[in-house]
Amino acid sequence: MKKHIAILSVFLFMMTAFAQTSVDAKKLGKTLESNKDGSAVFVSEVDLSGMAVADDGKIALPLFAKNKIVLVSGMDMTCIHERIAFANKKKFEVTFETKNLAPKTYAITKIDGIESFAEYSRRIEKEAKYKLGVERAENLKKMPVQVVNQEVVNITSTEAAWLPGQIQDKLKSNLQEYLGMKTVVDAKSEDALKKLQAQSESAARDENTAIELGKIINAKFAVFTKVRKTVKGYTISADFTDLTTGEQLASAVSKEYTQPEYLYGPTGGVDEITLSLASKLGIAISDLNKNLLASGSASFTVDEQLALAKQNEEQYKKLMSQYDSELAKLSVSNDLSAVENKRKIEAEKALLVEKQNSERKRQEELRLQKEREAEDAKLEAERSVALKTQRDKMAKEAAAKAAEVRKLKMSKQGVFGQINVIESKKKALLEIRGSVEARCQELFLQFKKDVATEVERIRSKPYSTVELGIDGKPTEVAKERREKVIIKAYLDSAPKFFSDCEGIKASTRAQDSALLAEIRADQKALSTMRTVSSMGDELKVSFGAYDVSQNGWVAYLSLYSEGVLLYTDTFIVGYDAVSGRIAPDMKTELNDAVIAEYSNNVDMYNSLFTRGDPIVYFEIDYAVSAQGDEKPSTYSFSFNRIRVINTVSGKIMQTSALSKTLARTMKPEQDLRIFDGVEESERAEFNRIYENKMILGW
């Protein structure tokens, strides 16, 4: 029995060994030809670079060119060449199983070292997603983005007229400046976009409709915003959508803000949304810009402020180039929307020029401060340990206290927030009036067309027998009568045109009146005395050298609004105010120790000021009055006093009186003066015809 088992074991071992025989590639062809075992399996390291697989599963391999062997597929050969290429090898261990000995048919059942088709499919899908992601990331900065105010919730009608537009403008600016995107903001396109979006959402999504959205505005992406009034304040939500696929790529919701102006103000709702969208879209934002969006630039070091100023200048150059390009395209079109967009871009370009000039001045001030900082660094080695310790302690205390003060001051920004509200309300009012005028223009073109058709019908109508003279031609009386018929046709049609225009005006009259009343009330409220602090982003202060003759430091103060320099001044911050000590008289003081202490203190404060340590901050009081409508968007600023405050103690160290007044025109100008629209001009024409009974040009 044991003998039989041993023989059987040897036999099975021999079968197994024969069933998977390893063969050198050079001998493989002859081995397969001479094989007599119908269950034999051969394994060989083979060069597959020239392998070809036919649709019917037959395989051609150069290795067997001289052998009478038929090769077929015994495994999934889908995309086999791509799978082989991905393995990045020339030779593979291939398994050949005997299929039929008569025609010497063998099947390739396994190729070691390559992916299975399932693995290949997963890799290709992953690569496609990655490629799509890369393309999308590139498109995010190449393809225009439409900013769409889609919806307002619980917002009053007057707020709804101006607040979404202000948010739209701020978001457009952020997408350009911080995310490097090209943006399109066009009211006419936006109306069409909203309509198509509503249609698309009302039923199953239509890919063609989605693509049409992009065609309308020449954009691939859109940001749909919603403004909502909550119990405690206001919030913004934004959905970043791929228009051609309908895919929502990112969404974000801001926290609640107590005032609507905070939604679009510095470090407000739009800045918060911008950071969130950038993170979700995978767009890198520099640490500088992150800090700017999150907490403003008031706490930036001199180096960071200089880097920001340079960055802004580069961004303004890029935007200027874009504006020039858009203006070149629009200049060849006489379309009404093109003319309107051209005006918008020209206004933005004018504002951009002012911002560029402001940035250049700011950079110059910061460069001078950097030079003083370099000089201060050279003196560092000469300072005593005690002096350095005292300076650094003061700087640390000031920095900690400044963070607390800044939180309070940031919520009490200057008047520019209110001016921006007024200007945005004006813009909304003009857009309402512009939409009325545009609709009246459409009615007028139709009215003119209808009248022209009627005039043509009347004039081409054959004259009757009683209107012809002996010579067969119309009499003068008949001609005059016909002209009167034409005049009557015009006079009969015109009232409907005027009535339709009045109907359009009536539909917006309540909103128009409410907005205008709010604008007048806001303008009146401007005259209240305001205070702005250097703890915010509007007031910038830098220090010059110590002036011994005036016992104080030269300070350069600049007041900004939305990046535009509105006011600049130079004054002296006294030694006694900063140090709490009276500066000695250099002519009469003979005690070297007193002079040494004086010198040490000046040197220490020099170091603190040039490094930008917030040991003091500044407040400026001023009032603003809006000029009359004959001076659109012009405001008169009256500056009263500047205060220098010790950051740590909170005490006012110095007050300097001012008596300066200047006027400033905000860009773009919003002109509220009544203008002669198509209805007014046509009514004048109607009156002329009615009085003179004459009509020309029809």
Side-chain angles (χ1 to χ4, degrees):
M1 185 68 181
K2 291 181 179 178
K3 182 180 179 181
H4 290 311
I5 293 172
I7 293 171
L8 181 60
S9 299
V10 171
F11 177 72
L12 289 172
F13 174 77
M14 289 176 66
M15 281 187 64
T16 304
F18 183 74
Q20 281 196 345
T21 304
S22 294
V23 183
D24 185 87
K26 294 178 181 179
K27 300 177 182 179
L28 184 60
K30 289 184 178 181
T31 301
L32 296 180
E33 278 184 331
S34 62
N35 174 41
K36 305 296 183 183
D37 186 351
S39 62
V41 178
F42 301 92
V43 177
S44 181
E45 194 173 39
V46 177
D47 183 352
L48 297 179
S49 57
M51 184 175 71
V53 182
D55 292 339
D56 60 1
K58 288 186 178 180
I59 298 173
L61 196 61
L63 179 64
F64 302 126
K66 297 179 180 180
N67 302 107
K68 294 179 180 179
I69 293 171
V70 178
L71 276 184
V72 295
S73 172
M75 59 179 282
D76 191 339
M77 289 286 183
T78 309
C79 302
I80 190 64
H81 293 101
E82 290 87 342
R83 291 151 64 188
I84 289 173
F86 181 70
N88 197 25
K89 290 168 61 178
K90 188 173 182 181
K91 292 184 178 182
F92 297 86
E93 194 172 83
V94 182
T95 301
F96 299 86
E97 288 189 10
T98 307
K99 297 295 287 183
N100 192 333
L101 287 174
K104 297 297 181 184
T105 303
Y106 293 88
I108 293 179
T109 58
K110 186 179 180 184
I111 303 174
D112 285 341
I114 68 167
E115 307 164 298
S116 66
F117 179 65
E119 290 171 332
Y120 166 78
S121 299
R122 286 194 293 270
R123 176 173 63 82
I124 293 301
E125 183 180 358
K126 188 176 180 181
E127 287 177 354
K129 284 183 178 179
Y130 175 76
K131 184 179 179 182
L132 180 63
V134 171
E135 289 177 353
R136 179 174 283 162
E138 292 175 350
N139 284 336
L140 285 173
K141 296 192 177 183
K142 286 195 302 186
M143 302 296 291
V145 179
Q146 175 80 352
V147 182
V148 183
N149 293 325
Q150 191 179 26
E151 188 180 343
V152 293
V153 181
N154 298 331
I155 303 293
T156 65
S157 59
T158 49
E159 283 179 332
W162 65 269
L163 182 56
Q166 194 76 353
I167 290 169
Q168 184 187 48
D169 288 347
K170 173 68 173 177
L171 184 55
K172 172 194 168 188
S173 175
N174 277 14
L175 293 177
Q176 286 179 330
E177 293 183 22
Y178 302 113
L179 305 192
M181 294 179 175
K182 293 173 66 177
T183 60
V184 177
V185 180
D186 180 282
K188 190 174 181 181
S189 296
E190 186 174 318
D191 289 340
L193 186 62
K194 287 179 182 177
K195 183 178 178 181
L196 285 174
Q197 181 74 7
Q199 291 173 355
S200 177
E201 291 176 351
S202 64
R205 185 170 187 84
D206 178 2
E207 178 68 14
N208 291 325
T209 303
I211 292 172
E212 281 298 315
L213 302 184
K215 287 182 181 177
I216 286 173
I217 56 171
N218 189 31
K220 182 175 175 61
F221 306 102
V223 183
F224 296 97
T225 66
K226 294 181 183 179
V227 185
R228 184 186 301 272
K229 189 170 185 179
T230 63
V231 176
K232 296 181 180 179
Y234 299 80
T235 66
I236 313 170
S237 63
D239 296 324
F240 197 98
T241 304
D242 187 324
L243 291 176
T244 56
T245 64
E247 181 183 358
Q248 185 176 297
L249 304 181
S251 62
V253 181
S254 75
K255 65 185 180 186
E256 289 180 315
Y257 291 83
T258 56
Q259 298 297 325
E261 302 95 284
Y262 295 167
L263 290 175
Y264 56 84
T267 70
V270 175
D271 286 352
E272 182 187 348
I273 290 285
T274 303
L275 281 170
S276 181
L277 289 179
S279 174
K280 292 177 180 179
L281 292 171
I283 297 175
I285 297 186
S286 67
D287 290 339
L288 188 70
N289 282 342
K290 283 181 183 177
N291 292 335
L292 184 64
L293 290 169
S295 56
S297 64
S299 59
F300 280 6
T301 64
V302 176
D303 285 333
E304 287 172 330
Q305 290 184 58
L306 188 55
L308 178 62
K310 290 177 180 176
Q311 173 185 285
N312 287 343
E313 186 179 19
E314 287 301 314
Q315 185 63 34
Y316 293 154
K317 285 180 183 177
K318 193 182 297 182
L319 287 176
M320 188 67 78
S321 177
Q322 288 182 19
Y323 288 155
D324 288 339
S325 175
E326 289 299 317
L327 286 172
K329 293 176 187 175
L330 293 171
S331 63
V332 298
S333 173
N334 293 322
D335 181 71
L336 285 175
S337 63
V339 173
E340 181 186 353
N341 283 340
K342 186 177 178 182
R343 289 198 195 101
K344 286 182 181 178
I345 292 174
E346 286 174 341
E348 289 188 13
K349 187 176 175 181
L351 178 61
L352 196 60
V353 169
E354 291 197 61
K355 288 186 176 183
Q356 281 182 311
N357 293 335
S358 297
E359 283 300 333
R360 291 190 186 107
K361 185 180 186 303
R362 180 66 182 152
Q363 283 187 68
E364 182 58 31
E365 290 176 352
L366 290 167
R367 272 194 289 269
L368 291 174
Q369 190 160 341
K370 281 295 294 178
E371 289 174 7
R372 291 190 292 274
E373 188 175 352
E375 293 171 3
D376 181 71
K378 293 178 183 178
L379 296 172
E380 184 72 1
E382 300 175 14
R383 296 191 179 108
S384 67
V385 174
L387 195 65
K388 291 178 185 178
T389 302
Q390 184 182 0
R391 179 201 63 189
D392 293 342
K393 182 182 177 183
M394 290 180 68
K396 187 176 180 180
E397 290 178 1
K401 192 66 177 179
E404 298 175 17
V405 175
R406 193 167 286 118
K407 288 179 182 177
L408 298 174
K409 299 301 177 183
M410 287 294 285
S411 64
K412 297 178 181 179
Q413 290 294 306
V415 76
F416 302 118
Q418 191 170 349
I419 288 178
N420 284 335
V421 170
I422 293 172
E423 290 301 299
S424 61
K425 287 180 181 179
K426 285 184 183 179
K427 178 184 175 184
L429 182 56
L430 291 175
E431 286 179 350
I432 291 171
R433 292 176 177 177
S435 66
V436 169
E437 177 64 13
R439 181 65 184 127
C440 288
Q441 284 277 5
E442 292 174 3
L443 290 175
F444 175 65
L445 292 175
Q446 186 59 47
F447 162 65
K448 192 173 180 180
K449 182 179 178 182
D450 292 344
V451 171
T453 301
E454 182 63 12
V455 168
E456 179 62 25
R457 186 191 68 78
I458 295 171
R459 283 188 173 156
S460 61
K461 181 181 176 182
Y463 284 92
S464 63
T465 303
V466 296
E467 294 176 306
L468 300 175
I470 298 174
D471 57 359
K473 295 180 179 180
T475 63
E476 291 302 317
V477 173
K479 290 179 181 179
E480 186 177 338
R481 177 184 174 279
R482 182 155 294 195
E483 287 304 309
K484 289 179 180 179
V485 172
I486 289 172
I487 292 171
K488 183 177 183 301
Y490 169 80
L491 295 177
D492 288 347
S493 301
K496 183 178 184 306
F497 162 69
F498 297 133
S499 175
D500 289 344
C501 285
E502 283 301 317
I504 294 170
K505 286 183 177 180
S507 67
T508 62
R509 188 168 288 127
Q511 194 177 29
D512 187 301
S513 300
L515 261 179
L516 186 59
E518 282 195 13
I519 290 167
R520 298 307 185 203
D522 290 346
Q523 287 175 329
K524 187 176 181 181
L526 277 178
S527 57
T528 304
M529 188 65 68
R530 303 279 172 166
T531 299
V532 66
S533 165
S534 62
M535 285 294 182
D537 288 328
E538 294 175 350
L539 186 62
K540 307 289 186 184
V541 179
S542 57
F543 285 91
Y546 184 77
D547 188 341
V548 179
S549 64
Q550 299 190 70
N551 291 328
W553 287 267
V554 179
Y556 305 97
L557 180 143
S558 299
L559 190 61
Y560 291 84
S561 171
E562 298 296 319
V564 176
L565 181 64
L566 292 178
Y567 171 73
T568 185
D569 200 357
T570 302
F571 62 100
I572 296 294
V573 178
Y575 170 81
D576 55 341
V578 175
S579 67
R581 299 178 177 85
I582 301 297
D585 187 340
M586 297 296 290
K587 293 180 180 179
T588 59
E589 182 58 63
L590 302 178
N591 189 333
D592 288 344
V594 172
I595 299 300
E597 181 188 13
Y598 177 39
S599 180
N600 282 341
N601 284 338
V602 169
D603 189 41
M604 180 176 66
Y605 285 108
N606 266 336
S607 184
L608 288 163
F609 288 145
T610 56
R611 295 193 319 176
D613 292 313
I615 61 167
V616 297
Y617 69 89
F618 299 77
E619 288 183 345
I620 183 169
D621 296 336
Y622 62 96
V624 183
S625 59
Q627 299 297 289
D629 288 346
E630 71 280 0
K631 295 180 179 180
S633 299
T634 300
Y635 296 84
S636 179
F637 291 78
S638 299
F639 298 92
N640 297 76
R641 61 181 59 83
I642 297 172
R643 287 183 295 280
V644 182
I645 303 169
N646 184 295
T647 305
V648 178
S649 67
K651 293 181 179 178
I652 297 172
M653 302 187 301
Q654 177 179 317
T655 299
S656 300
L658 299 172
S659 57
K660 295 192 177 184
T661 302
L662 58 89
R664 184 76 198 187
T665 300
M666 306 302 287
K667 300 288 184 180
E669 297 177 29
Q670 310 290 350
D671 194 343
L672 293 181
R673 286 175 291 182
I674 300 299
F675 61 94
D676 290 334
V678 63
E679 183 195 359
E680 285 75 13
S681 60
E682 191 55 30
R683 196 179 290 280
E685 177 71 4
F686 175 87
N687 292 335
R688 186 186 68 79
I689 293 170
Y690 186 81
E691 292 171 4
N692 301 323
K693 298 297 184 288
M694 290 177 61
I695 186 165
L696 301 172
W698 296 93

